[in-house]
Amino acid sequence: MKPWKPLAFALLCSPLSSYGAAFSSCPTQAFLVQQNVAQLYGVNLATGYYQTLSEDMGTTGKLNAIGFNLHDDYLYAWSYQHKTLARIGDDYQVEPLALNWNGFASDVSFYVGDVAVESNAHYLYRSGSAYGLFRVSLDSADADYLSMQRVIDGSALNLRIFDMAFHPDNGMLYSVDNQGRLWRINPETGASENLANVGQVGTFGAVYFDVSGHLYISRNSDGLVFQIDIASNSPEAQLYAQGPASSNNDGARCAIAPIVAADDANIDFGDAPDSFGTSLINNGARHQLVDGGIQLGSNVDGEADAYVYPASDDSSRLFDDEDGIAFVTDVQVGLDSVIQVDSSANGFLSAWFDLNGNGTFDNEEQLLTDQAVVEGVQSLLVSVPEGYESGDRWARFRISSGGGNAATGGAPDGEVEDYQIYVGDSATQVSYYPSADGYATVAFEDNWPAAGDYDLNDLVVNLQTKVLSFANGHVARIELQGEVRAVGASFHNGFAIRIPGIDKSLVDVAAIRYEINGELLQASVLDENTNDITAIIAADVREYINNQNQCDFYKTQADCRGAGQLHFKVLLPMHEGLAKNALPSAPFDPFIYATEHSRNPYFASSPGRGLEIHSKNQSPSSAVDSSLWGSFDDVSNPSASSYYQTGNGLPWAIIVPYNWQYPFERISVADAYPKFLEYAQSEGQQSSDWYLLENARGELIYQD
């Protein structure tokens, strides 16, 4: 429709006038009206991101005292041009309304107001004995429709406030004055109560509520949005997001709407445990995803709320958007560490390291503050102060075009990336397999000693190992971590990782840390059946994967994704005396073994723990049942150090230093990867790149 043109007052609300329809729903966005000639913006309070809704609202003046009416889904605001209340529909055009002033001075404008939640009425406020708090019915069926009804005069209610908002449940009005005092106002009587000082001062021209009863105040001078938990015994203004600044600011939103809609996938959250401030309810670090906006690395994903560790959407490594920071050198106390930053544009980077390990990012743990970065890859120094102990830590990196980010809270563009790192002392050296930020793939065919369907997806595990050693070459700690990616087996299998030839008495048992899905377990992780260090990750993988029997397989068929998760982390501190050069090659010896469940049709009764499946030519543990060698398709010959291979040299387990894409269920790996047979039969001398995605038949492999 054409922009609305001012009409004579006698034609206000004339049936000949044409204005926009009501909004179609209760919007989650906040509305913000600014400028001396009103312009309307939509604001995501979670991030502070805003966009222009209308630069021409059909008025030559300001709008103020704006509110959203749940009873008819229109916006209402005070029009300075028309000196009356106006209605605004989905075309964002001002429709002035003819008020009955009831003898009150009509040559006045109101800059504070909101629409009630429970009653269909707009409340307007201005200090001064001639003014005060007024109620205006918006219900056309009321006898006092559009009539100015004063609740209390402005000398009895004399507050230095610039906007107010109705609570979604209790029917009260709230505001924060320019000295930071939080006020509660009874709209029926005008009685006011000073609840607390929230710790921020300024002109808070836009005030909002959400459905949970949190109050939001936007400061005109810098645009910062603060959240206040008014139910707290000591309400404080917590920095929540960076919004737009303006000398003229007024806001409204649907008070019964959540801050973020459940289907909103345009916000990037962090992944660290929630003690660091990760989820929305804990004011987690978050950034609006803007088309063409600044980000770290190549990947970024959006969600309506955070998936915190260990349920992070990045933990699978299949789509890991934590790809913008690379640790070139180890992070060590008292030394400078080199990181590489990959930025998509010029911007500002800040970083926090939980150096004291208390589960929060403290102010003194901010190691980068608005560090200017340019488009592309660049190296930066991060200095870790003296005085901290070594250990596993979390780090958070935040980038945006404008900077000014804290460890938590929203930003109108950019990205947040959280990393698990190890902070060592100056005498500690760290080695990884396959790399500091990479995971190898271990894949098993569990029909051994029969070849079976040979799809090598009966158990697929991502695995990373880490060895920390002192300057004298002795091992300080061994770490094993990863996750189960697929279970294509109908059999039940245990999964373990063995360090051959290293006696378990060298482990400081009292200091072991064993986590499954982020939960610290008290159960012993070391195998009682062997003398070598053998960590039993899961005695039966199916206790975690497909334990509700949704379907037979887990992520090996397009129509059967299964359910569950198995993330693991095992820290094995060592007693002094184990030389690093005595360790076998990483990733050591990951293997599976039979449980007491049936393994028909190959065995009349389960062979139990004695049936182990290792990679080709890897000697088994002392718990193995040697009578099984040479049966069915197996040609193991212990006297020749030949184990776990078929007559034509094919293995039952493979280790790939890469995020390998395995075949679909019942698709032979030799069909999915045509170069695999040549590699296996040549003892790895030929076609060593067989496992790369470019060498696969894409239609035969499972890809998330």
Side-chain angles (χ1 to χ4, degrees), residues 367-426:
L367 302 189
L368 292 176
T369 303
D370 284 342
Q371 170 70 50
V373 295
V374 298
E375 180 181 354
V377 178
Q378 56 237 270
S379 296
L380 297 177
L381 287 178
V382 176
S383 298
V384 180
E386 296 279 4
Y388 292 99
E389 295 183 358
S390 60
D392 292 286
R393 302 290 185 257
W394 280 90
R396 171 166 290 168
F397 293 84
R398 301 189 68 179
I399 196 168
S400 63
S401 60
N405 296 308
T408 58
D413 66 3
E415 185 181 3
V416 52
E417 293 191 351
D418 291 343
Y419 291 85
Q420 287 182 280
I421 61 171
Y422 182 80
V423 177
D425 57 40
S426 58

Side-chain angles (χ1 to χ4, degrees), residues 270-273 276 296-297 317 320-327 340 352-354 361 392-397 415-422 436-437:
D271 309 287
F276 292 100
L296 290 167
R317 306 285 164 174
D320 187 352
D321 72 339
E322 317 294 30
D323 62 347
I325 304 294
F327 293 87
Q340 277 191 342
W352 297 260
F353 288 60
D354 180 27
F361 294 120
D392 292 286
R393 302 290 185 257
W394 280 90
R396 171 166 290 168
F397 293 84
E415 185 181 3
V416 52
E417 293 191 351
D418 291 343
Y419 291 85
Q420 287 182 280
I421 61 171
Y422 182 80
D437 58 356

Side-chain angles (χ1 to χ4, degrees), residues 611-626:
L611 189 154
E612 297 181 353
I613 304 174
H614 298 253
S615 58
K616 183 177 176 179
N617 291 333
Q618 171 63 60
S619 61
S621 78
S622 58
V624 77
D625 181 355
S626 59

